[in-house]
Amino acid sequence: MNIPQAFWLVPVASVVALSMAWFFFRQMMKEDEGTPRMKEIALYVRNGAMAYLKQQYKVVCIVFVVLCALFAFMAYGLNVQNPWVPFAFLTGGFFSGLAGFFGMKTATYASARTANAARQSLNAGLKIAFRSGAVMGLTVVGLGLLDIAIWFVVLNHFDSDGLISITTTMLTFGMGASTQALFARVGGGIYTKAADVGADIVGKVEADIPEDDPRNPATIADNVGDNVGDVAGMGADLYESYCGSVLSTAALGASAFAASASEGMQLKAVIAPMIIAAVGVFLSLLGIFLVRTKEGATMRDLLRSLSLGTNVSAVLIAIATFAILYLLGIENWLGLSFSVISGLTAGVIIGQATEYYTSHSYKPTQKISEAGQTGAATVIIKGIGTGMISTCIPVITIGVAIMLSYLCANGFDLSMSSVSLSHGLYGIGIAAVGMLSTLGITLATDAYGPIADNAGGNAEMAQLGEEVRHRTDALDALGNTTAATGKGFAIGSAALTALALLASYIEEVKIAMSRAEITLTDLAGNVIEATDATIPDFMNYFQVNLMNPKVLVGAFIGAMAAFLFCGMTMEAVGRAAEKMVQEVRRQFREIAGILEGTGTPDYGRCVEISTRAAQHEMIIPSVLAIIIPIVVGIVLGVAGVLGLLVGGLAGGFTLAVFMANAGGAWDNAKKNIEEGNFGGKGSFAHKACIVGDTVGDPFKDTSGPSLNILIKLMSMVSIVMAGLTVAFA
């Protein structure tokens, strides 16, 4: 088929995004890295981060080879899989890993330059840190669109089975991205929190030395961890969400408009989410250039600076969506435009709600700081309660966004007919695209966080002076809030993407049944071909209803999987942190003069401990996330898998919001006291909040963020393994 001219905006946007990422990187590299001591510290961190990433990619490569061999056997041996899947799987994982690598390389070069710029002014430091974070955002969207564009052109040329086959095949490269993202998130999260918890327990609590003090042997490992967890991990995570939302919406569009009487409507529905994402690149760039601040800015001023860029981008993409869908001539373009806006609005609301519950500019976090006056126990109780309460707004927001996007897309038709249902599901998918369309700037605000954090650590270890440290502390506190907001956004986008993937699973089952030449009966009892069946036909054939015990058991397993995964990753952090604590204590005890500042700690040993622990501990939780959907599919069939995905989505989304927000609130409650409130640094309340922050570390940086990958990965595995599930059904 002929590819419309409008589609070529997608590869153009990809090239622009990657070119601007390169421009910002070169611009940052021209800045001065500071004093010899600052350069030395930055080199320690950079070498540690790259050494870890090299080890992680070795483990991931082994897993990818095994899975690729399995997919090849399913495709060429059993004939239950599309022959393109092994190749699509590999490219998805490769581009996801590449995005994380480029983002982390930039971050490790930017931290010292940010600290040095903060010697001049707050705005200079903010500008370098934020634009370096933008490299991560632009690289993710650039590589994502490039991967999508290449596969669309290739499959359009070689696959003659139509758009449904093309889009569902493209969707499978999302499993490669999901698998890579899970290893990056889990491994990076374990690494960073093993170092962070170890450094806090021995350094701040036992030895009573400041955070990022060069006397602490774990401080370099802690700074390395910020990069591997919150830059490489987050980049791989949102690369997966970004591609997953666009591809699942394209697959739903191919299905929803397959029978449309209007010429070319199906193709228009397929390329629409790609074009919206492409236009989002240009508007994200505009927002990035708007971010700046003034000297002496308060936390609210800094938040307002970042909000200006993200909100302007969001408003402009909302306006642009109407024009895009109108010019494409899509049926019900007005309703679909409002579906996109519902997704965009949901993203903004979730971000604002996360900011409210995690920033120390607002009461919830201030109350946790106040609880520190009565001890660590009340800090933990208050933080858990705040985290639980904070789930309310995101859950209701996502619920409203789902309903509005569904109804706007199908003309407010509640009949649940085949056409109404398929158009409504397309609306939910395009709402996810709307939420992620400005990812270029949204991810920039998130990647900014670890850069600012490392800049603060560099300033402390290089002893740059109180004024510089005050500026880097302001940038760091802002980074904590943007990181928490970014995690909330990532979790919210994962919920909408996973729901779109859930609908795409049915399309993949349809193709698998057609390949296996399995027929089914429709609602009237007539025998029909799988390719002609509607979604209600499938629900009836597989008995997907709440009275079917397979569905209920699957839902319970899905909810349990979220808690099991969190428990395993939390314990992994605990075990790794114990090793770190023992090592730091040993160095304080055996290396003469560390606490007096005359001895040099063995930073490399702590980096090695975190690296080994992360590599060892990440394997079982990650492999478990892949195995569960396969086993459920074989044992409980399609009905059980759909129950699993629903249970995992509902349980995982709520639990992820709770953990991310509780952890972020504990972290900023400590920062609030360090600014001089409730006794300031070294006070009883400060030590109590350090304990809360330590508990919250694996909440917000390991288990919570990993859950949004878990719910998407289970969906992706289910889609890729649909042929196997049907074969055993």
Side-chain angles (χ1 to χ4, degrees):
M1 72 185 73
N2 293 325
I3 297 177
Q5 287 188 343
F7 166 80
W8 298 108
L9 183 65
V10 178
V12 168
S14 167
V15 171
V16 169
L18 293 173
S19 300
M20 289 305 299
W22 174 249
F23 170 74
F24 286 139
F25 176 77
R26 296 302 304 163
Q27 202 175 43
M28 177 270 294
M29 291 295 289
K30 291 177 183 176
E31 298 292 334
D32 186 8
E33 203 168 9
T35 65
R37 177 60 176 161
M38 293 171 72
K39 293 177 182 177
E40 179 188 4
I41 293 163
L43 185 61
Y44 275 131
V45 174
R46 189 154 54 245
N47 289 343
M50 290 304 166
Y52 167 77
L53 212 58
K54 184 178 179 181
Q55 285 298 112
Q56 177 180 281
Y57 286 165
K58 285 181 181 177
V59 175
V60 173
C61 279
I62 294 170
V63 174
F64 266 70
V65 168
V66 172
L67 288 174
C68 191
L70 173 63
F71 297 148
F73 175 68
M74 289 172 61
Y76 307 117
L78 301 179
N79 196 32
V80 295
Q81 187 60 272
N82 189 297
W84 288 99
V85 167
F87 305 103
F89 173 74
L90 287 176
T91 62
F94 174 75
F95 278 110
S96 176
L98 198 62
F101 172 80
F102 285 141
M104 195 176 76
K105 185 178 177 68
T106 303
T108 54
Y109 276 104
S111 56
R113 289 170 169 82
T114 299
N116 190 57
R119 298 166 75 186
Q120 305 168 30
S121 69
L122 187 65
N123 184 55
L126 175 66
K127 186 176 177 181
I128 290 177
F130 183 73
R131 292 194 177 178
S132 298
V135 174
M136 174 84 267
L138 293 171
T139 301
V140 165
V141 298
L143 289 176
L145 289 177
L146 181 64
D147 202 4
I148 290 169
I150 289 172
W151 272 108
F152 187 74
V153 172
V154 168
L155 290 175
N156 187 65
H157 182 72
F158 288 104
D159 193 328
S160 59
D161 292 336
L163 281 171
I164 293 178
S165 175
I166 290 171
T167 52
T168 50
T169 301
M170 289 174 67
L171 190 57
T172 58
F173 84 62
M175 184 180 166
S178 295
T179 305
Q180 161 60 28
L182 190 65
F183 276 99
R185 256 303 190 194
V186 174
I190 293 170
Y191 184 109
T192 182
K193 292 307 108 180
D196 198 357
V197 171
D200 284 356
I201 289 175
V202 186
K204 290 194 285 188
V205 177
E206 295 180 6
D208 200 24
I209 58 178
E211 186 172 4
D212 296 320
D213 193 297
R215 294 173 290 176
N216 192 328
T219 192
I220 293 293
D222 184 11
N223 280 270
V224 171
D226 290 333
N227 291 289
V228 299
D230 284 341
V231 179
M234 175 62 89
D237 175 3
L238 283 169
Y239 176 91
E240 173 218 13
S241 281
Y242 186 72
C243 293
S245 66
V246 173
L247 294 172
S248 59
T249 305
L252 290 170
S255 174
F257 293 90
S260 175
S262 302
E263 184 179 354
M265 192 58 61
Q266 185 188 32
L267 182 57
K268 293 174 182 177
V270 167
I271 67 170
M274 302 177 192
I275 295 173
I276 291 171
V279 172
V281 168
F282 298 103
L283 299 180
S284 292
L285 279 168
L286 176 62
I288 288 166
F289 282 106
L290 290 176
V291 175
R292 54 175 54 88
T293 192
K294 59 186 178 182
E295 191 58 37
T298 64
M299 177 57 63
R300 292 201 179 194
D301 291 333
L302 289 169
L303 284 170
R304 200 174 294 119
S305 298
L306 292 188
S307 296
L308 175 65
T310 53
N311 291 340
V312 166
S313 297
V315 169
L316 290 178
I317 192 64
I319 296 169
T321 297
F322 285 89
I324 292 167
L325 296 179
Y326 172 74
L327 292 173
L328 280 175
I330 288 186
E331 292 176 8
N332 190 23
W333 64 270
L334 188 61
L336 286 171
S337 299
F338 281 109
S339 292
V340 173
I341 289 175
S342 69
L344 272 168
T345 306
V348 171
I349 292 172
I350 290 172
Q352 293 298 312
T354 304
E355 181 184 319
Y356 174 74
Y357 282 106
T358 59
S359 171
H360 61 61
S361 298
Y362 301 100
K363 282 189 177 180
T365 298
Q366 291 169 0
K367 289 290 184 182
I368 296 173
S369 300
E370 186 180 340
Q373 297 176 107
T374 52
T378 48
V379 168
I380 292 170
I381 291 168
K382 188 71 178 173
I384 289 174
T386 299
M388 288 180 171
I389 292 169
S390 73
T391 63
C392 184
I393 294 175
V395 169
I396 291 174
T397 300
I398 285 294
V400 171
I402 289 169
M403 288 303 300
L404 282 178
S405 58
Y406 178 88
L407 293 172
C408 288
N410 69 6
F412 287 81
D413 183 356
L414 292 170
S415 67
M416 297 297 289
S417 66
S418 174
V419 174
S420 170
L421 189 60
S422 59
H423 282 243
L425 291 172
Y426 180 69
I428 293 172
I430 211 164
V433 174
M435 184 183 281
L436 287 160
S437 57
T438 55
L439 185 63
I441 185 170
T442 308
L443 185 51
T445 63
D446 193 71
Y448 154 86
I451 294 172
D453 192 353
N454 270 219
N458 193 295
E460 177 71 35
M461 287 184 273
Q463 300 176 329
L464 292 186
E466 193 171 328
E467 178 62 26
V468 178
R469 184 60 181 161
H470 178 73
R471 288 172 183 157
T472 57
D473 279 347
L475 295 174
D476 184 16
L478 173 65
N480 281 332
T481 301
T482 60
T485 303
K487 290 181 180 74
F489 175 83
I491 294 164
S493 65
L496 281 180
T497 301
L499 196 59
L501 290 172
L502 185 66
S504 298
Y505 173 66
I506 297 295
E507 294 304 318
E508 192 64 37
V509 169
K510 181 190 293 187
I511 290 173
M513 291 180 70
S514 176
R515 190 179 293 117
E517 298 181 350
I518 298 173
T519 57
L520 68 163
T521 54
D522 64 14
L523 294 171
N526 302 312
V527 176
I528 55 174
E529 296 294 328
T531 51
D532 299 324
T534 63
I535 291 178
D537 291 333
F538 275 95
M539 297 296 105
N540 177 62
Y541 179 76
F542 289 109
Q543 296 183 323
V544 183
N545 59 69
L546 293 178
M547 294 299 102
N548 186 345
K550 290 183 179 181
V551 176
L552 294 174
V553 171
F556 275 114
I557 293 173
M560 174 276 294
F563 282 87
L564 176 64
F565 186 78
C566 282
M568 293 178 74
T569 51
M570 291 281 287
E571 287 195 346
V573 170
R575 286 190 294 269
E578 285 172 9
K579 295 175 184 175
M580 187 65 70
V581 167
Q582 290 166 5
E583 174 60 22
V584 176
R585 285 174 178 167
R586 182 195 68 78
Q587 291 197 33
F588 280 160
R589 187 173 61 249
E590 297 179 6
I591 300 177
I594 286 186
L595 288 174
E596 292 75 25
T598 56
T600 303
D602 185 355
Y603 298 123
R605 176 62 184 153
C606 291
V607 170
E608 183 183 346
I609 287 173
S610 271
T611 301
R612 285 185 176 178
Q615 298 304 313
H616 175 71
E617 298 283 2
M618 74 179 181
I619 295 173
I620 295 177
S622 301
V623 171
L624 195 68
I626 297 170
I627 291 174
I628 287 176
I630 299 174
V631 174
V632 170
I634 292 172
V635 176
L636 299 177
V638 173
V641 171
L642 287 169
L644 172 80
L645 300 183
V646 170
L649 174 57
F653 172 63
T654 309
L655 183 59
V657 172
F658 155 64
M659 298 188 84
N661 286 354
W666 274 318
D667 192 353
N668 278 329
K670 177 200 69 177
K671 289 280 194 300
N672 185 39
I673 291 178
E674 288 174 349
E675 291 186 356
N677 301 303
F678 304 109
K681 288 185 178 181
S683 65
F684 178 79
H686 184 226
K687 291 183 177 180
C689 283
I690 288 172
V691 174
D693 176 37
T694 305
V695 173
D697 278 335
F699 268 54
K700 68 181 175 65
D701 290 325
T702 308
S703 301
S706 299
L707 277 172
N708 58 338
I709 306 175
L710 176 72
I711 60 179
K712 289 177 293 183
L713 180 58
M714 289 201 301
S715 299
M716 283 294 185
V717 172
S718 299
I719 288 170
V720 173
M721 295 295 178
L724 197 64
T725 303
V726 168
F728 279 89

